Each structure stands twice: as C-alpha cells, then as structure tokens.
Amino acid sequence: MTTRVWDYLPEYEKEKADILDAVEQVFGSGQLILGGSVKGFEEEFAAYHGAAHCTSVDNGTNALKLALEALGVGPGDEVITVSNTAAPTVVAILGTGAVPVFVDVREEDFLIDTDLVEAAITERTKVLLPVHLYGQSVDFAPLRALADRYGLKILEDCAQSHGARHHGDLVGTLGDAAAFSFYPTKVLGAYGDGGAVITSDRATDQALRELRYYGMEKVYYVVRTPGHNSRLDEVQAEILRRKLTRLDTYLEGRNAVARRYEAALGDLTGPGRLQLPGTNEGNTHSYYVYVVRHPERDRIIEALKAHDIALNISYPWPCHTMSGFAHLGYAKGSLPVTERLSQEIFSLPMYPSLPEAVQDQVIAALREVLASL
Ligand SMILES: *Cc1c(COP(=O)(O)O)cnc(C)c1O
C-alpha cells in the first residue's frame, strides 16, 4: 500500500458523526459569523491553557501578524526569529512592515540557539518570536531574561506545538502572547483554515479583537485603527471545540507512534548515522512532525521511493535562502547549522491514527535502505 505522511481520513471515519453534527449545529444556529461557537471555542481554548484571553482568527499566519500588531510592531521594527520555520512565520512579520532577523539553531534539537540571540538585538528590536519547532518548546528562560533586560515582548509561534509542555507549563503561556494555527495537518486541526492568539494581557486581547474586525470594537462602530477581516468561521470553531476535547488523546496517539519508531530504529542511531528526534529535559513533545536526520538524506529518499514510502521534508529550503526573502540580505553560509540541517532532515509519516501496518512498512523499508547504503 502507498503510505502518506499525513492523512485525516482515518480520523474522519472515526469522528464522522461528531464532525457532521457540528456542521449541522452551526447551519441551524441562525448565526454564521462570530456566534456561539467562536465564543465557546475561545473560552475553552483559553481555559485549556489557563490563559485569561483567546481571540480566534482565520489562520495561523494572521494569528502571528495580528499578534505582532497588537504588541505594537510596525514598519521599521525588527523581530528576531529563525530561518528553519514554515515560511508563514516570516511572511507574517513582513506583513506588519517589520523586518525579520534570523538567528541560527542548534545541531541537537533544531531549535533557536539562545546563545546567539543577544548579538542580534538592536535598537529597533521589538519582539522575540521563537518557534516551538516540530512540537517541542524552545529553551525559554534565556529568552525571558533577554526580553526583560532589553524591554522586548515575546510572541510564541505555537503552530506546531499544541499541548506541548515546558517544565510543566503549556507552550503558549510562556510569552506575552502566543499564535496557533489550526491548519488541518496541525496537532489540533480544523476541516479548513483557523488560528488563534492567547494572552494574559487584556489590552493585547482587546487590540486583537479590533484588528480581526476591520479595526472596530463592535458591529457598526467606528474604526479606531484600520484593521483586517480575519475572523474564524463558525463551522471551524464548532469542529475545533469538539476536537479540543480529544487533544490529549491525539497527543497520546502521536507519542505512541514516536515510541514505536524509537524502539524499531534506535539501534541505527549515532554520529554520522541516523538521528531521531529527542525530547529535551523538562519538555513533552507533541510530534507535529517526526523529523529524522541522516547525512545521506537524498540517497535515502530516492531509495525509499521504490518502496512506495512517502516522505516530507520540513523544510527543504531555509527561509533566508528563498528568492522572495532575498531582499533581507542573508548570504548563503550565513546560518550554517540551519543550512546543513535542511540538507539532512526528512520526516517519517506521523499522525495519531497512523495504522501500525503502515508504520511497520516504513520501518522495514528504512532499515533495508540504511543497510544497503
Ligand atoms: C502552519 C504554520 C504557520 C501558519 O499557519 P497557517 O494556519 O497555515 O497560516 C505558521 N508558523 C508555523 C511554524 C507553522 O507550522
């Protein structure tokens, strides 16, 4: 059978009655925009995190962009982040008129190298934007110390890390605000687009509510600051409410898949050989994607094609090497670890309902290919 890196259909089969009931509930509710389901989801998503506020929006990119704007970021400001992220992180920063500033990542966990952040801070720096890449938290304490010392805000990009913990705290509660995506592949995924921002600061949340609604506080009101139309759809909100009650089950499913990969591939790891994703001390992992690393990545992927194994690369091109971001002026070689990793990483299939038979097929094929290198 042909494998897929991600597939929502097995989950849909299981949850079909509930998902369709959510759709019917909204269609029959008499309120299709900013109704009870959006309000309910915002309350429940905030409560899940123990956060004071949640404003839902139409996607994760706009969650980042509006959150940056709500934190006061605009033209001329600088936002420090990483280049080995989904391009929308960078697009969102540019969308505010600010300039993304990239720092390199660490070999061991592919996360922001907090030792390099201070050197990237200038008078124009407004926000640190760490990405909890692949599903585990960055080292947060050094970032908080720098933010406090230099008077910066921290916006967490939690698009890949729903439900992940850092020393007991859920990611999204560590910074001044946190942006989430509910793109279907994400750990908490809608049946279409969705996003949200959580914060414990009332003024930030109020600014977000206006920014997603043209810049108005309420219907038929004055625009105070021109905003956007970035509302979460009622249908997606109701589906997300239902799925939020199962988030911990999804996390267990993903972790079970990871444990099976570890048990079956652990003996192939080592320097110059296979590197499996680790979990740093104090972290729990939500395994948005299961990213492994090998110096012979391209040969492995080519050989696995003959076994009908589908693989992804998250991500094949670091953002600073993309033509659309060339104007930012990063030369090739300027972020050496980021660039090296992009040549060596690939993702094995990962989703909570991944059938064991498919996983076994992936494991067997990978073992065979690695033995033949
Ligand atoms: C998915 C993702 C986004 C963007 O979310 P969308 O809902 O697709 O707009 C932003 N940042 C990261 C790290 C992501 O993985």
Side-chain angles (χ1 to χ4, degrees):
M1 95 184 96
T2 306
T3 64
R4 305 181 71 179
V5 179
W6 176 80
D7 191 357
Y8 75 93
L9 287 172
E11 182 184 285
Y12 178 55
E13 278 311 311
K14 248 191 283 178
E15 302 185 358
K16 197 170 198 163
D18 191 40
I19 301 298
L20 295 181
D21 183 66
V23 176
E24 273 208 311
Q25 182 189 317
V26 171
F27 283 7
S29 72
Q31 186 154 14
L32 296 174
I33 299 288
L34 295 188
S37 294
V38 161
K39 188 165 184 292
F41 174 66
E42 288 174 343
E43 285 168 6
E44 287 150 17
F45 198 63
Y48 178 88
H49 291 91
H53 308 282
C54 170
T55 293
S56 62
V57 293
D58 50 350
N59 57 63
T61 309
N62 285 337
L64 288 163
K65 186 174 89 170
L66 270 59
L68 287 169
E69 291 179 352
L71 292 172
V73 171
D77 294 330
E78 291 177 356
V79 175
I80 296 178
T81 191
V82 289
S83 175
N84 69 336
T85 181
T89 309
V90 182
V91 168
I93 296 169
L94 289 168
T96 68
V99 178
V101 173
F102 300 121
V103 298
D104 213 348
V105 296
R106 305 189 295 207
E107 293 272 355
E108 319 82 69
D109 55 17
F110 316 162
L111 297 169
I112 189 165
D113 188 338
T114 51
D115 291 340
L116 302 177
V117 173
E118 187 164 19
I121 296 174
T122 72
E123 272 168 20
R124 296 180 164 200
T125 309
K126 261 268 173 63
V127 165
L128 305 180
L129 205 175
V131 180
H132 303 305
L133 194 74
Y134 306 151
Q136 79 165 320
S137 178
V138 304
D139 255 354
F140 209 80
L143 296 182
R144 173 48 75 203
L146 285 172
D148 289 347
R149 188 165 339 132
Y150 290 93
L152 311 174
K153 301 276 193 204
I154 304 180
L155 172 63
E156 299 171 70
D157 186 338
C158 296
Q160 307 192 351
S161 56
H162 314 65
R165 286 180 184 272
H166 186 57
H167 298 294
D169 295 324
L170 283 165
V171 303
T173 63
L174 310 169
D176 297 283
F180 290 83
S181 164
F182 308 118
Y183 184 79
T185 63
K186 308 292 185 182
V187 177
L188 179 60
Y191 279 66
D193 278 311
V197 181
I198 61 174
T199 179
S200 53
D201 183 57
R202 220 190 91 79
T204 303
D205 185 66
Q206 185 57 37
L208 277 160
R209 285 176 184 280
E210 296 183 18
L211 282 165
R212 76 159 174 200
Y213 198 72
Y214 317 117
M216 301 192 310
E217 197 184 325
K218 55 190 178 194
V219 179
Y220 301 131
Y221 210 62
V222 295
V223 169
R224 295 207 284 215
T225 308
H228 312 275
N229 176 359
S230 280
R231 300 177 292 246
L232 180 65
D233 184 80
E234 275 286 291
V235 173
Q236 300 305 338
E238 187 57 36
I239 291 172
L240 285 166
R241 287 179 86 176
R242 312 285 182 106
K243 289 192 67 176
L244 179 59
T245 65
R246 297 188 281 272
L247 174 55
D248 290 340
T249 316
Y250 302 146
L251 291 167
E252 280 163 27
R254 287 175 183 271
N255 272 270
V257 170
R259 295 297 88 78
R260 281 188 96 240
Y261 279 137
E262 279 163 18
L265 300 169
D267 62 312
L268 304 176
T269 60
R273 302 170 78 213
L274 192 65
Q275 180 180 335
L276 299 179
T279 303
N280 292 337
E281 206 203 315
N283 278 356
T284 67
H285 210 305
S286 59
Y287 293 107
Y288 166 57
V289 278
Y290 192 85
V291 176
V292 305
R293 177 184 183 189
H294 195 287
E296 299 285 345
R297 191 264 316 267
D298 291 341
R299 280 177 67 196
I300 294 169
I301 289 195
E302 200 45 45
L304 282 171
K305 276 188 195 151
H307 292 262
D308 244 351
I309 305 287
L311 298 172
N312 265 353
I313 300 174
S314 302
Y315 300 91
W317 303 284
C319 290
H320 71 284
T321 67
M322 294 182 180
S323 55
F325 303 134
H327 64 287
L328 298 173
Y330 287 82
K332 208 158 188 271
S334 56
L335 300 170
V337 181
T338 297
E339 289 168 37
R340 187 160 56 247
L341 289 175
S342 71
Q343 314 269 310
E344 300 185 352
I345 53 170
F346 59 105
S347 317
L348 306 187
M350 169 58 84
Y351 46 94
S353 51
L354 178 66
E356 289 198 353
V358 174
Q359 222 188 326
D360 291 339
Q361 195 185 338
V362 172
I363 291 163
L366 188 57
R367 290 196 70 92
E368 198 183 312
V369 166
L370 287 175
S372 72
L373 280 184

